[in-house]
Amino acid sequence: MLVQKLSWIILLLFLCQHGAEAKRTVVCEGGSAHLSCDGGFIKVLKANYGRTDSTTCISGRPANQISNTHCFRETSLYTMSARCDGSKSCTVPAVNSILVVGLINTWMCLMTVSQQKEV
């Protein structure tokens, strides 16, 4: 899990150093991710619908729903890219029916890193 968290940080640092503004979006299961950009188009760089820590989206959740922190859905990037890349804005619900069935008794969250691509 530490490697995955570091990869998010490294990606954001790389984008900031190269003048590209990256946006990190976190949405709890049942909510919706709203991505948008001005003067360009969305490019989703990274996405995960799952759980990789025990601190995100925990409000009101029992311990058994946040204890599994090894849930990474590799199809999340494909789904988010297919729905958002090339658009000026998009909304994607963080629900199992769209982002692949989650784990039983695991409260999921959707995390994305996107960048504005110039026209």
Short mmCIF file of all heavy atoms in Angstrom, two decimals, residues 40-66:
data_model
loop_
_atom_site.label_atom_id
_atom_site.label_comp_id
_atom_site.label_asym_id
_atom_site.label_seq_id
_atom_site.Cartn_x
_atom_site.Cartn_y
_atom_site.Cartn_z
N GLY A 40 -9.73 23.54 -22.13
CA GLY A 40 -9.07 22.33 -22.59
C GLY A 40 -9.99 21.14 -22.41
O GLY A 40 -11.21 21.29 -22.34
N PHE A 41 -9.39 19.97 -22.34
CA PHE A 41 -10.15 18.74 -22.23
C PHE A 41 -9.56 17.87 -21.12
O PHE A 41 -8.39 17.93 -20.83
CB PHE A 41 -10.14 17.99 -23.56
CG PHE A 41 -10.77 18.78 -24.67
CD1 PHE A 41 -9.98 19.55 -25.52
CD2 PHE A 41 -12.14 18.77 -24.85
CE1 PHE A 41 -10.56 20.30 -26.53
CE2 PHE A 41 -12.72 19.51 -25.85
CZ PHE A 41 -11.94 20.28 -26.69
N ILE A 42 -10.40 17.02 -20.57
CA ILE A 42 -10.00 16.14 -19.47
C ILE A 42 -9.15 14.99 -19.99
O ILE A 42 -9.43 14.41 -21.03
CB ILE A 42 -11.25 15.56 -18.76
CG1 ILE A 42 -12.05 16.68 -18.12
CG2 ILE A 42 -10.85 14.50 -17.74
CD1 ILE A 42 -13.43 16.26 -17.66
N LYS A 43 -8.12 14.65 -19.23
CA LYS A 43 -7.34 13.44 -19.44
C LYS A 43 -7.18 12.79 -18.06
O LYS A 43 -6.52 13.35 -17.18
CB LYS A 43 -5.97 13.77 -20.05
CG LYS A 43 -5.03 12.58 -20.15
CD LYS A 43 -5.56 11.53 -21.08
CE LYS A 43 -4.59 10.36 -21.18
NZ LYS A 43 -5.20 9.19 -21.75
N VAL A 44 -7.81 11.63 -17.87
CA VAL A 44 -7.69 10.93 -16.60
C VAL A 44 -6.36 10.18 -16.59
O VAL A 44 -6.08 9.40 -17.50
CB VAL A 44 -8.87 9.95 -16.38
CG1 VAL A 44 -8.70 9.18 -15.08
CG2 VAL A 44 -10.19 10.70 -16.40
N LEU A 45 -5.54 10.43 -15.59
CA LEU A 45 -4.21 9.83 -15.50
C LEU A 45 -4.18 8.60 -14.60
O LEU A 45 -3.40 7.69 -14.82
CB LEU A 45 -3.22 10.86 -14.97
CG LEU A 45 -3.11 12.16 -15.78
CD1 LEU A 45 -2.24 13.16 -15.05
CD2 LEU A 45 -2.61 11.88 -17.17
N LYS A 46 -5.03 8.61 -13.58
CA LYS A 46 -5.03 7.52 -12.61
C LYS A 46 -6.41 7.46 -11.97
O LYS A 46 -7.03 8.49 -11.76
CB LYS A 46 -3.96 7.77 -11.55
CG LYS A 46 -3.63 6.59 -10.72
CD LYS A 46 -2.28 6.77 -10.05
CE LYS A 46 -1.92 5.45 -9.41
NZ LYS A 46 -0.55 5.30 -9.13
N ALA A 47 -6.87 6.26 -11.68
CA ALA A 47 -8.17 6.11 -11.02
C ALA A 47 -8.21 4.80 -10.25
O ALA A 47 -7.60 3.81 -10.66
CB ALA A 47 -9.30 6.15 -12.04
N ASN A 48 -8.92 4.81 -9.14
CA ASN A 48 -9.16 3.58 -8.38
C ASN A 48 -10.51 3.67 -7.69
O ASN A 48 -10.80 4.65 -7.01
CB ASN A 48 -8.09 3.33 -7.33
CG ASN A 48 -8.35 2.04 -6.56
OD1 ASN A 48 -8.72 1.03 -7.15
ND2 ASN A 48 -8.20 2.08 -5.27
N TYR A 49 -11.33 2.66 -7.90
CA TYR A 49 -12.56 2.50 -7.14
C TYR A 49 -12.31 1.33 -6.22
O TYR A 49 -12.25 0.19 -6.65
CB TYR A 49 -13.74 2.23 -8.07
CG TYR A 49 -15.06 2.05 -7.34
CD1 TYR A 49 -15.61 3.10 -6.61
CD2 TYR A 49 -15.74 0.85 -7.39
CE1 TYR A 49 -16.81 2.94 -5.95
CE2 TYR A 49 -16.94 0.69 -6.74
CZ TYR A 49 -17.48 1.74 -6.02
OH TYR A 49 -18.68 1.58 -5.37
N GLY A 50 -12.05 1.64 -4.97
CA GLY A 50 -11.70 0.59 -4.01
C GLY A 50 -11.40 1.20 -2.67
O GLY A 50 -11.99 2.20 -2.28
N ARG A 51 -10.46 0.62 -1.97
CA ARG A 51 -10.03 1.14 -0.67
C ARG A 51 -8.56 0.81 -0.49
O ARG A 51 -8.16 -0.35 -0.56
CB ARG A 51 -10.85 0.54 0.46
CG ARG A 51 -10.36 0.95 1.84
CD ARG A 51 -11.39 0.78 2.92
NE ARG A 51 -12.51 1.69 2.76
CZ ARG A 51 -12.49 2.99 3.06
NH1 ARG A 51 -11.39 3.55 3.51
NH2 ARG A 51 -13.55 3.74 2.90
N THR A 52 -7.75 1.85 -0.27
CA THR A 52 -6.31 1.65 -0.08
C THR A 52 -5.82 2.23 1.24
O THR A 52 -4.63 2.20 1.50
CB THR A 52 -5.51 2.27 -1.25
OG1 THR A 52 -5.83 3.66 -1.33
CG2 THR A 52 -5.84 1.58 -2.57
N ASP A 53 -6.73 2.78 2.04
CA ASP A 53 -6.35 3.26 3.36
C ASP A 53 -7.55 3.16 4.29
O ASP A 53 -8.66 2.87 3.85
CB ASP A 53 -5.81 4.70 3.31
CG ASP A 53 -6.84 5.72 2.90
OD1 ASP A 53 -7.93 5.77 3.53
OD2 ASP A 53 -6.59 6.48 1.96
N SER A 54 -7.32 3.38 5.56
CA SER A 54 -8.41 3.26 6.53
C SER A 54 -8.86 4.62 7.05
O SER A 54 -9.50 4.71 8.10
CB SER A 54 -7.98 2.37 7.70
OG SER A 54 -6.84 2.92 8.32
N THR A 55 -8.55 5.70 6.30
CA THR A 55 -8.94 7.04 6.74
C THR A 55 -9.87 7.76 5.77
O THR A 55 -10.55 8.70 6.17
CB THR A 55 -7.69 7.91 6.97
OG1 THR A 55 -6.95 7.99 5.76
CG2 THR A 55 -6.82 7.35 8.07
N THR A 56 -9.92 7.36 4.52
CA THR A 56 -10.75 8.03 3.51
C THR A 56 -12.17 7.48 3.55
O THR A 56 -12.37 6.27 3.61
CB THR A 56 -10.14 7.82 2.10
OG1 THR A 56 -8.79 8.27 2.12
CG2 THR A 56 -10.91 8.61 1.05
N CYS A 57 -13.14 8.36 3.50
CA CYS A 57 -14.57 7.98 3.45
C CYS A 57 -14.96 7.05 4.61
O CYS A 57 -15.54 5.99 4.39
CB CYS A 57 -14.91 7.33 2.12
SG CYS A 57 -14.78 8.42 0.68
N ILE A 58 -14.64 7.46 5.82
CA ILE A 58 -14.93 6.58 6.96
C ILE A 58 -16.09 7.06 7.83
O ILE A 58 -16.54 6.33 8.71
CB ILE A 58 -13.69 6.40 7.86
CG1 ILE A 58 -13.24 7.72 8.46
CG2 ILE A 58 -12.56 5.73 7.09
CD1 ILE A 58 -12.18 7.58 9.53
N SER A 59 -16.59 8.25 7.58
CA SER A 59 -17.63 8.82 8.43
C SER A 59 -18.85 7.91 8.52
O SER A 59 -19.46 7.55 7.52
CB SER A 59 -18.04 10.19 7.88
OG SER A 59 -19.02 10.76 8.70
N GLY A 60 -19.17 7.52 9.74
CA GLY A 60 -20.35 6.71 9.99
C GLY A 60 -20.23 5.25 9.61
O GLY A 60 -21.19 4.50 9.65
N ARG A 61 -19.04 4.81 9.24
CA ARG A 61 -18.84 3.42 8.81
C ARG A 61 -18.30 2.58 9.95
O ARG A 61 -17.38 3.01 10.65
CB ARG A 61 -17.84 3.36 7.65
CG ARG A 61 -18.32 4.04 6.41
CD ARG A 61 -19.36 3.18 5.74
NE ARG A 61 -20.50 4.01 5.39
CZ ARG A 61 -21.71 3.57 5.16
NH1 ARG A 61 -21.99 2.30 5.24
NH2 ARG A 61 -22.67 4.39 4.85
N PRO A 62 -18.80 1.36 10.11
CA PRO A 62 -18.24 0.46 11.12
C PRO A 62 -16.85 -0.02 10.70
O PRO A 62 -16.51 -0.03 9.51
CB PRO A 62 -19.24 -0.70 11.17
CG PRO A 62 -19.99 -0.64 9.90
CD PRO A 62 -19.95 0.79 9.43
N ALA A 63 -16.06 -0.43 11.66
CA ALA A 63 -14.67 -0.84 11.40
C ALA A 63 -14.56 -1.95 10.37
O ALA A 63 -13.63 -1.96 9.56
CB ALA A 63 -14.02 -1.28 12.71
N ASN A 64 -15.50 -2.89 10.34
CA ASN A 64 -15.40 -4.00 9.39
C ASN A 64 -15.56 -3.54 7.94
O ASN A 64 -15.16 -4.24 7.02
CB ASN A 64 -16.40 -5.11 9.72
CG ASN A 64 -17.84 -4.71 9.44
OD1 ASN A 64 -18.22 -3.56 9.71
ND2 ASN A 64 -18.62 -5.62 8.95
N GLN A 65 -16.12 -2.35 7.70
CA GLN A 65 -16.29 -1.86 6.33
C GLN A 65 -15.08 -1.05 5.83
O GLN A 65 -15.00 -0.74 4.65
CB GLN A 65 -17.55 -1.00 6.20
CG GLN A 65 -18.82 -1.80 6.29
CD GLN A 65 -20.04 -0.95 6.02
OE1 GLN A 65 -19.97 0.27 5.94
NE2 GLN A 65 -21.17 -1.60 5.88
N ILE A 66 -14.17 -0.72 6.73
CA ILE A 66 -13.00 0.07 6.31
C ILE A 66 -11.68 -0.63 6.60
O ILE A 66 -10.61 -0.07 6.37
CB ILE A 66 -13.01 1.47 6.96
CG1 ILE A 66 -13.00 1.37 8.49
CG2 ILE A 66 -14.18 2.29 6.47
CD1 ILE A 66 -12.82 2.68 9.20
#
